[in-house]
Structure formats: structure tokens, C-alpha cells
Amino acid sequence: MDAATIALISMAAVALLAIFVFISYVKAPPSFAYIISGLSKEPRVLIGSGGFRVPFFERLDKVYLGQITVDIKTEESVPTNDFINVDVDAVAKIRVTPNPEGTRLAAKNFLNMTPAEIAYQLQDSLQGNMREIIGTLDLRSLNTDRDGFSDEVMSKAQPDMAKLGIEIISCNIQNVTDREGLIHDLGADNTAKIKKDASINRANAERDVKIQVAHADKDANDARVDADTAIAIKNNDLALKRAALKREADTAQADADAAYAIQQQEQQKTINIKTVEAEIEKTKREQILSREQIEIKQNLLSAEIEKKADAEKYQVEINAQADLEQRKRVAEAQKYEAEQRALAQNAESDAARYRLEQEAIGIKAKGEAEAYAIQKKGEAEALAMDKKAEAYKKYNSAAVAQMMIEVLPQIVENVAKPISAIKDVNIYSGDGNGISAMSGNVPVAIKQAFDVLKSATGVDMADIMRAGSIEAKTTRNINLNAEAQDVVDGLKD
């Protein structure tokens, strides 16, 4: 073999060795345990370290080593030691025992399981241990000593968990409830006791405070009495001293008053002498003053008389001027009033004249309107009469007969109306023809009406009636005058 071949073989061997090392070397993280088994009787455990496994001859499995949370709940109520059904909710923290033996035991039970799967596998066992512990405790202990309850659950469950390679880290009681509300009642009882104790403590404290306040008030009162006594003693001493001083002062004042009275009498004597002298001098001066005042009053009186006369004279002049001015103003006012009255009379005359003119115009217009209305009414009536006359001219004998025929039923009705108004009839007739005589008056009345129409219009209604009879149509012996014939022809038309 040449050197090149040897080199290639060597390179291939090195490459194969590198691939083998790469494939067979494994390194376990801290949170997992790698279990290598296959060639030896006891599997090798790698935790946070590396190692080799022979491909195709050894297998690699994993066990989770981290913390796992397991919810432990009593699905049904569990009776306590005092036979009270309770529901307990707890949380347990577990992990695989961190040693090779625990890892091997966990590998036999939880190999390649997720944390949730491991928690599910252990949940029933932990619930059973907790139910056993609940049965050994009473309701008050469950609520007041939850740490002891969780410690007992851990102590009870730890041997079973150790057999599976599991270690219980902690167990916490989340909630304890009962369906009867006894826990609430216990809380209310405790609350009442706490309130009672608090009230007692408060009362005791208030009592102590009042006692201390009373002692303080007593001490303060004693101090105040002592102070008042001392003040009274001091005030008494002060009053005595003041009385002694006042007595000395009064004695000195009396001496001074006596000396003053003597001095005052001497002075009063001197004052009296001076007063008499002054009165005499005063009298003299008053006499002189009286004479001077009389002269002054005389002068003032003369001046007042002259001043009053001048004032009266001036007042007369002023009054005369004022009266003259008043008369001028009255004359002007009278003149102005006369002018205004004249203007008012002229205005009233103009207004009356205008009113008469307007009334005359109104009367004239009214008369013209009435005359025009009368004229138009007369013209209308004349025109109506002309129209009526023309209409009457157009009426022929047939029209007149037609009108008569139309009123003929009314004539007959009016003729028969007196007879129909008769209620009771008493007939006194010797021949027994009273009723026929009475009914025979109706044709007579109708004939009289026909005669009146004939005399008024020249139309014989009897001939008109016979003209339409069978006799006239068969024998034709009935002769009508011209007017009756016109009536018949008109009826035929």
C-alpha cells in the first residue's frame, strides 16, 4: 500500500471516530437525569454531566428533576374527628429525590413523563394521605393549626412517596370549607369573644384613665387649695400692712386738714375783705356802666327807627314795582288768552263748517245713491214686466189650458175639502135622498169653477175633456171652438 492509501484510510478512520464520538456523547442538563441502559445490569445515571452511550446497543431515557406542583383536593366531603364534613384544598410541591437511588426509583415509575403526567400519577396518593390526616383532627385544629396539618400530611405521605423516588418539598393548605357553615359560626364566635375582650380591655383602660384623672384632679385640687391658702395669707398680710399705712396716712391727713382749715379761715377772712371792697368797686362801675348803656341803647333805638323807616320805604317801592309788574303780566296773560280763545273759536267755526260741508256732501251722495238705486230698481221692474208681458204673449190657448189642467186637481181638492172636514152628518130628508143631494153638490161646484174659467179665459174645459173621450173619437160629433181646438192640439203635441 502506498502512502496515499494509508493517508486516506487514516483520514476515514479519524472521520468515523469523530462521527462515533459525536453520536455517542450525551450531556445531561441540571433539570433532567439521563438514564443510559443496555449493556450493563445497572443503568448509568447522568445529572448535569456528560457521558458516552453506544449507539444501537444502549438507549437514552430522561427523568424530570425539577419542581412539580400537585393540586390536592378532596373531591367529596371528608368527616373530621368531631364528625364534621369538610372540603380541603391544598397544594404540594414535589420533586425526584436528588440522589442516584431516588433517580433510579423515579426512572422505574416516571420515565420520560412530563411534569403534568407525574403530578397526575401522584395526586391520588397524596389525596388519600390528606383524607387520613383529616379524620384524625377536629374542625378547630384544621383552621387554627394549618401548619401542623400540612406537616402531618407530609409526614404521612413521605414514606409512600420515597418508595416512588419522590421527595415532598412543601405542602400548603389553601382553603378549608364546610357545607353547614360551622367555620363561619366559629369565626363569629371568635369575633364575639374578641369584641368582648376588646370591650373589657377598653373598659379597664377607661377605668384606669378615670382613676388617673381623679388622682390628677385631687392633686390639682390640693395644690389649688394650698395655693389659695397661701394667697389668702399673703392678701391678709397685705391688708394689714395697707391698714397700718392708711392709719398713718389718715393721721397725717388729719393734721394736714386741721392746718389747712386754719389756713383756710385766715384766707377766707382776707377773701371776705377783698370781696366787700370788690363789691363796692363793682357797684360803682355798674352805675357808670348803666349810664353808658342807656346812652348806647338810645343811640341804637334811633338808628333802628331810621333803619326801619328806610326799610319800609324801600319795601313800599318794591311792592309798587311788583304790583305794576304783576298787572302787566296779568294784562299780557289776558291778552294771550283772548287771542287763544279767538283762535279756538275760529278753529271751531272752521271745524263746524267743514263738518256741515261733509254732511251736505254725504246727504247729496246718499240721495244720489238712493235715486240711482230707485232708478235701477224701476228699470229692473220695468224690464221684468216687459219680459213677463212678452212671455204672456207667447202663451197660446194650449199653454193656458195646460196651466188650467195643472191646477184642476187643486180646484177639485179645495171643493172637496169642506166636505172632508165634516165629521158627523145628520140628514133630515123626507124622501131619503139627503146623502145623494149632498154628494151632488161636488159636480155642481166643479161646473161652477169651469164656468168661471171659461168666462175669464174663454176656454171651455168641458169641451176639452169631451175631446179626449170615446164618443169624440168614434162619432166625431163634438165641435170645438178655435181656442178649445188649440188646447187639444197642444195636449196632443
Side-chain angles (χ1 to χ4, degrees):
M1 301 175 86
D2 55 4
T5 302
I6 295 171
L8 289 174
I9 292 171
S10 299
M11 292 176 63
V14 172
L16 290 173
L17 180 61
I19 293 171
F20 177 78
V21 171
F22 179 77
I23 294 173
S24 62
Y25 183 79
V26 293
K27 184 176 182 180
S31 59
F32 281 92
Y34 283 1
I35 309 299
I36 300 173
S37 60
L39 294 178
S40 61
K41 293 181 179 181
E42 293 293 333
R44 288 177 294 154
V45 179
L46 299 178
I47 300 174
S49 61
F52 291 93
R53 71 178 180 89
V54 180
F56 307 108
F57 294 99
E58 291 181 333
R59 60 175 293 167
L60 176 64
D61 296 302
K62 299 178 182 179
V63 176
Y64 181 71
L65 301 178
Q67 179 179 287
I68 301 173
T69 301
V70 182
D71 290 331
I72 309 172
K73 294 182 181 179
T74 56
E75 297 178 355
E76 297 179 357
S77 298
V78 180
T80 62
N81 189 23
D82 48 0
F83 302 103
I84 297 173
N85 293 326
V86 296
D87 296 317
V88 180
D89 183 6
V91 175
K93 301 291 185 180
I94 64 171
R95 66 179 178 180
V96 175
T97 305
N99 55 45
E101 183 62 26
T103 303
R104 289 188 180 92
L105 291 174
K108 291 178 181 180
N109 296 285
F110 312 110
L111 192 64
N112 296 325
M113 287 188 181
T114 62
E117 292 173 343
I118 296 172
Y120 181 74
Q121 293 294 327
L122 299 175
Q123 192 173 22
D124 293 338
S125 178
L126 292 173
Q127 285 181 358
N129 293 323
M130 187 173 69
R131 293 169 71 91
E132 292 179 4
I133 299 301
I134 292 172
T136 62
L137 300 174
D138 58 7
L139 182 61
R140 188 180 297 275
S141 299
L142 288 175
N143 285 278
T144 59
D145 190 12
R146 293 191 178 186
D147 291 338
F149 175 39
S150 61
D151 292 339
E152 290 187 15
V153 172
M154 291 175 62
S155 299
K156 179 67 177 176
Q158 186 59 54
D160 295 336
M161 295 294 105
K163 294 176 183 179
L164 300 174
I166 299 299
E167 178 185 12
I168 301 176
I169 301 172
S170 65
C171 180
N172 296 319
I173 306 301
Q174 300 291 325
N175 193 14
V176 178
T177 59
D178 70 297
R179 299 180 182 178
E180 301 298 330
L182 297 177
I183 296 176
H184 179 270
D185 295 338
L186 289 174
D189 185 25
N190 291 331
T191 302
K193 290 181 180 180
I194 292 171
K195 289 183 178 179
K196 178 181 177 182
D197 295 338
S199 299
I200 293 172
N201 294 331
R202 186 183 301 109
N204 292 331
E206 291 177 354
R207 180 195 61 194
D208 296 338
V209 170
K210 290 180 179 179
I211 291 171
Q212 296 297 326
V213 170
H215 288 309
D217 290 340
K218 181 178 179 300
D219 295 338
N221 188 48
D222 293 341
R224 186 167 54 253
V225 170
D226 294 338
D228 292 340
T229 302
I231 291 171
I233 292 171
K234 295 293 184 183
N235 289 334
N236 190 24
D237 295 339
L238 180 61
L240 293 175
K241 290 180 179 180
R242 285 180 176 176
L245 293 174
K246 187 175 185 300
R247 184 171 58 253
E248 294 176 359
D250 290 340
T251 301
Q253 184 67 34
D255 294 339
D257 290 339
Y260 177 76
I262 295 170
Q263 183 66 27
Q264 190 175 14
Q265 289 177 359
E266 294 294 334
Q267 290 179 354
Q268 186 64 37
K269 185 186 294 183
T270 303
I271 290 170
N272 291 333
I273 295 171
K274 295 294 184 184
T275 302
V276 171
E277 293 176 356
E279 289 292 336
I280 295 171
E281 187 66 25
K282 180 180 180 182
T283 302
K284 291 180 180 179
R285 291 183 177 276
E286 286 178 353
Q287 290 176 357
I288 295 170
L289 181 60
S290 296
R291 289 194 296 272
E292 292 178 354
Q293 287 178 349
I294 290 170
E295 292 178 359
I296 293 171
K297 287 182 178 180
Q298 289 177 353
N299 294 330
L300 290 174
L301 183 60
S302 299
E304 288 178 359
I305 292 171
E306 292 177 358
K307 186 176 182 181
K308 184 175 182 181
D310 294 338
E312 290 177 354
K313 179 180 178 181
Y314 178 74
Q315 184 65 36
V316 170
E317 292 177 356
I318 294 299
N319 292 335
Q321 292 178 359
D323 184 55
L324 180 60
E325 185 68 23
Q326 182 69 23
R327 290 180 181 180
K328 289 181 179 180
R329 291 184 179 182
V330 170
E332 291 177 357
Q334 291 176 353
K335 180 181 179 181
Y336 177 76
E337 290 177 357
E339 291 176 355
Q340 293 298 320
R341 282 197 298 272
L343 292 175
Q345 290 177 357
N346 293 333
E348 290 179 357
S349 300
D350 295 339
R353 183 173 63 256
Y354 178 76
R355 185 169 60 256
L356 293 174
E357 291 176 356
Q358 294 298 320
E359 289 178 355
I361 293 171
I363 292 170
K364 181 180 180 182
K366 183 177 181 180
E368 292 177 355
E370 290 178 352
Y372 181 76
I374 293 170
Q375 179 182 357
K376 291 299 181 180
K377 183 178 180 181
E379 292 176 357
E381 291 178 351
L383 182 61
M385 294 296 293
D386 293 340
K387 296 292 183 181
K388 190 180 291 185
E390 291 178 2
Y392 287 155
K393 288 180 180 180
K394 293 179 181 181
Y395 285 176
N396 54 18
S397 299
V400 175
Q402 179 69 29
M403 293 174 61
M404 292 179 179
I405 292 171
E406 290 178 354
V407 299
L408 183 61
Q410 298 179 0
I411 296 173
V412 175
E413 180 180 1
N414 292 327
V415 171
K417 186 178 295 184
I419 298 174
S420 64
I422 299 172
K423 294 182 179 180
D424 296 327
V425 178
N426 295 321
I427 301 174
Y428 300 96
S429 175
D431 55 3
N433 295 324
I435 296 175
S436 60
M438 182 177 179
S439 61
N441 291 327
V442 175
V444 174
I446 295 174
K447 184 177 183 305
Q448 291 176 357
F450 285 175
D451 292 340
V452 173
L453 291 174
K454 180 178 179 181
S455 62
T457 62
V459 178
D460 191 354
M461 295 298 297
D463 292 340
I464 293 172
M465 297 301 293
R466 286 195 303 272
S469 65
I470 297 174
E471 182 183 0
K473 293 179 181 180
T474 55
T475 61
R476 302 184 182 274
N477 290 325
I478 296 174
N479 296 319
L480 301 176
N481 55 22
E483 294 178 354
Q485 188 63 42
D486 292 337
V487 171
V488 172
D489 293 339
L491 292 174
K492 290 179 180 181
D493 296 336

